[in-house]
Amino acid sequence: MKVGLLEDFKGNTTALWNAENLVVINGKEEEISLAYGRISNFMDLDILIGKNFLDGEINFLSQVYGIIIDGSNIVKRINIENFNAELTLGNIAISSARIFDDFVTFFFPFPIRDCSISYSIIYEVLDYDIMRELHRITKLGGKVRIIIRDKLHGGLSVDDIMKFIIKFDVEKISWKDGFWVIDLIKKRR
């Protein structure tokens, strides 16, 4: 049985967005740095342990890992409102791409051609690897909307969110019903 533990830079158990290391225990202990990319460094695990996961992280990660432990709780997938986008991550379909009414389930890398998606919505999943993949698959002029609960409602501050915005230009930042909504646009390759 392989167990993975997400740790911050101080060695404390943390959520995916804040993780600096993935400690894998399988008879021996191995530490994997997540400083420059998280999702691409993940491996086949039976259990993933973290603390204070965002809802979208739980949905995204539960597609791959059978058991996710958030603090002292075993977590379940959380359903949210379905959005009308070509690609959605972290919502009802759990890490799925909605392409021509067919659902394709994936984790990383995205099985989507370069520059083929015009609009994506990401719900509470932040990762450098995901942002790079989104940039790769988004058409020039295409848009990405990131939705994250604000800090007062158990989410993140805008400063924390903006650390993950790479390669895209920020079109608009707004706040609605306890959520930060960040609209991005791809203006360059």
Side-chain angles (χ1 to χ4, degrees):
M1 176 177 287
K2 281 188 185 176
V3 177
L5 175 65
L6 294 170
E7 292 183 342
D8 64 14
F9 69 96
K10 293 180 180 176
N12 299 318
T13 305
T14 191
L16 174 65
W17 73 270
N18 195 38
E20 293 290 326
N21 294 306
L22 173 64
V23 177
V24 178
I25 303 162
N26 185 19
K28 60 180 181 170
E29 188 174 300
E30 176 185 3
E31 190 170 299
I32 300 168
S33 173
L34 303 177
Y36 298 106
R38 288 166 175 75
I39 300 299
S40 62
N41 287 311
F42 274 51
M43 52 181 34
D44 187 26
L45 301 170
D46 297 303
I47 300 173
L48 181 65
I49 301 171
K51 187 174 182 183
N52 300 323
F53 283 111
L54 297 170
D55 292 346
E57 289 178 336
I58 292 168
N59 285 341
F60 186 72
L61 294 169
S62 66
Q63 178 62 37
V64 176
Y65 302 116
I67 299 173
I68 297 177
I69 299 175
D70 186 0
S72 60
N73 300 315
I74 295 177
V75 296
K76 298 179 181 177
R77 297 174 184 157
I78 298 164
N79 293 331
I80 65 164
E81 174 185 350
N82 196 8
F83 298 101
N84 184 21
E86 290 178 279
L87 172 73
T88 56
L89 294 178
N91 78 346
I92 292 174
I94 303 130
S95 174
S96 66
R98 184 168 184 251
I99 305 172
F100 307 115
D101 295 323
D102 292 327
F103 283 91
V104 178
T105 301
F106 61 84
F107 189 61
F108 183 88
F110 299 170
I112 300 170
R113 286 179 287 130
D114 293 359
C115 301
S116 61
I117 301 290
S118 58
Y119 182 55
S120 303
I121 296 177
I122 310 305
Y123 174 76
E124 295 204 331
V125 180
L126 289 175
D127 183 76
Y128 296 116
D129 290 330
I130 289 174
M131 293 307 294
R132 283 186 206 98
E133 278 292 278
L134 284 171
H135 191 268
R136 179 185 66 79
I137 66 172
T138 301
K139 295 176 181 177
L140 204 56
K143 298 186 178 195
V144 173
R145 175 171 276 183
I146 297 175
I147 302 169
I148 306 279
R149 272 177 292 142
D150 71 6
K151 199 166 192 160
L152 293 173
H153 294 90
L156 306 174
S157 70
V158 170
D159 291 340
D160 289 333
I161 298 167
M162 294 308 291
K163 292 175 188 173
F164 292 91
I165 306 303
I166 57 174
K167 298 194 171 209
F168 287 95
D169 292 329
V170 176
E171 192 173 55
K172 180 176 140 185
I173 299 174
S174 56
W175 185 88
K176 183 178 180 185
D177 299 327
F179 287 86
W180 289 111
V181 178
I182 301 166
D183 292 318
L184 308 174
I185 188 166
K186 181 178 177 179
K187 289 188 177 178
R188 61 194 181 290
R189 287 188 181 259

